[in-house]
Amino acid sequence: MKIAILGCGWLGFPLGKNLVAKGHQVVGSVTSEAKTIPLSEAGIQPVVLQLNPEANEAILSDFLAADLLVIAIPPRAGKYGDSFHVEQIEGILPTLQKSTIQKVVYISSTSVYPDLGQVATEDSEVIPTHSLIQVENLLKNALGENVTILRCGGLMGAERIPAKYFAGKTINTGAIPVNYVHQEDAVGVVTTVIEKGIFGETFNVVSPEHPIRKEVYLKNCAELGFAEPIFVESETTVPYKVIDATKLLNKTGYEFRYANPLDYKYYDVVCVK
């Protein structure tokens, strides 16, 4: 099939390469001409498309001339405000609904669940004002059973190494469990959903095992040479959650390459952002 990937970046680019390898025709969006070269070299048709938050209507219409759309653009808050991502998706919906797109996969995040010390399933309480929940609802209301939501945990792998961000720092969150997913598994899950035609669903996408941060960071440091963080006990309860991926495993049959974040492999990679 012809698959459009809106946001051919850290996740979208390797996803596109994987789908090309499986025989699909892939078109991927980037935000500048300079970023088109790696896509072309990988067999992905590049399109320069910016959502600021509005898009160029002609370019967007051409981009959406496909069978399936993967939305993999990270929400940009900060100076843009929490509503920016919502406005981006609101802006493309009219064109999307008039296009040839039949199915949509939306990459969301497990950050939509509050940190209440709970095991969070897809039916658990979410933060209703979260921009990603607003977008999820927009898409479900507009597309119904033709959209699947993938709530990914912390995306790791390649050059994203948990301990790298805390090397030599003092932290009081070493005892809380992690909710990570490796880049290769995130790509694998999206590919599985597409090729098995699993739509009208919401899935948590995280490695099934949840070691504590201290274990992960220390293993990273030992293997990759980072300075060990200084772990201290928190004087107050540290908020956390454990994300349950049971529904994903049962409904898709997906087998994680990295079921345990302690087993993640990392490497340097050039990706398009």
Side-chain angles (χ1 to χ4, degrees), residues 5 23-24 32 86 93 96 103 117 121-122 124 143 187 192 203 207 214 224 227 242 273:
I5 301 176
H24 300 288
S32 70
V86 181
L93 270 180
L96 173 60
K103 304 289 183 182
T121 71
E122 291 81 356
S124 296
L143 305 170
V187 168
T192 297
F203 294 117
S207 291
K214 183 176 182 178
L224 301 168
V242 175
K273 296 182 179 179

Side-chain angles (χ1 to χ4, degrees), residues 102-115:
Q102 299 175 28
K103 304 289 183 182
V104 172
V105 176
Y106 176 63
I107 307 300
S108 186
S109 167
T110 56
S111 65
V112 301
Y113 301 109
D115 293 320

Side-chain angles (χ1 to χ4, degrees), residues 2-267:
K2 184 175 181 181
I3 299 169
I5 301 176
L6 182 61
C8 222
W10 192 85
L11 176 57
F13 183 44
L15 171 63
K17 290 194 291 185
N18 193 53
L19 292 170
V20 167
K22 288 179 170 289
H24 300 288
Q25 181 182 355
V26 179
V27 54
S29 78
V30 288
T31 55
S32 70
E33 194 67 37
K35 298 176 182 178
T36 64
I37 297 172
L39 272 67
S40 296
E41 292 174 344
I44 301 168
Q45 178 187 343
V47 172
V48 178
L49 178 63
Q50 297 185 11
L51 306 181
N52 293 316
E54 69 287 340
N56 179 291
E57 180 64 24
I59 296 174
L60 180 62
S61 294
D62 288 344
F63 174 72
L64 293 176
D67 304 307
L68 184 145
L69 172 66
V70 178
I71 302 176
I73 50 174
R76 300 167 73 182
K79 66 178 181 179
Y80 296 97
D82 292 337
S83 65
F84 186 80
H85 184 56
V86 181
E87 293 167 2
Q88 287 180 310
I89 304 306
E90 283 177 331
I92 70 169
L93 270 180
T95 308
L96 173 60
Q97 290 178 293
K98 292 184 293 185
S99 74
T100 56
I101 297 290
Q102 299 175 28
K103 304 289 183 182
V104 172
V105 176
Y106 176 63
I107 307 300
S108 186
S109 167
T110 56
S111 65
V112 301
Y113 301 109
D115 293 320
L116 302 174
Q118 83 283 29
V119 175
T121 71
E122 291 81 356
D123 295 324
S124 296
E125 173 188 349
V126 295
I127 303 168
T129 56
H130 198 296
S131 62
L132 296 181
I133 288 296
Q134 294 180 56
V135 171
E136 288 184 17
N137 290 335
L138 275 173
L139 292 171
K140 288 188 286 188
N141 290 337
L143 305 170
E145 297 298 302
N146 293 318
V147 61
T148 279
I149 309 295
L150 300 179
R151 294 173 177 165
C152 292
L155 288 162
M156 298 296 171
E159 81 290 358
R160 291 190 181 179
I161 306 164
K164 180 170 71 173
Y165 307 105
F166 298 94
K169 296 182 179 179
T170 299
I171 60 173
N172 64 359
T173 57
I176 68 172
V178 300
N179 298 293
Y180 294 154
V181 60
H182 195 280
Q183 183 187 59
E184 292 177 34
D185 281 316
V187 168
V189 169
V190 179
T191 303
T192 297
V193 165
I194 290 172
E195 297 204 316
K196 289 190 173 183
I198 303 170
F199 288 92
E201 297 285 357
T202 297
F203 294 117
N204 292 334
V205 183
V206 295
S207 291
E209 297 183 39
H210 304 271
I212 62 172
R213 287 185 179 183
K214 183 176 182 178
E215 292 177 298
V216 175
Y217 295 170
L218 289 180
K219 192 165 191 289
N220 288 167
C221 293
E223 292 180 342
L224 301 168
F226 297 110
E228 291 186 1
I230 301 166
F231 298 98
V232 298
E233 289 190 17
S234 175
E235 296 180 358
T236 59
T237 302
V238 178
Y240 75 96
K241 61 202 169 215
V242 175
I243 305 298
D244 189 325
T246 301
K247 179 184 175 184
L248 174 74
L249 298 172
N250 290 344
K251 284 215 166 188
T252 69
Y254 181 76
E255 295 184 9
F256 276 79
R257 180 168 184 177
Y258 299 102
N260 191 330
L262 290 172
D263 299 327
Y264 284 4
K265 301 299 181 186
Y266 303 93
Y267 51 89

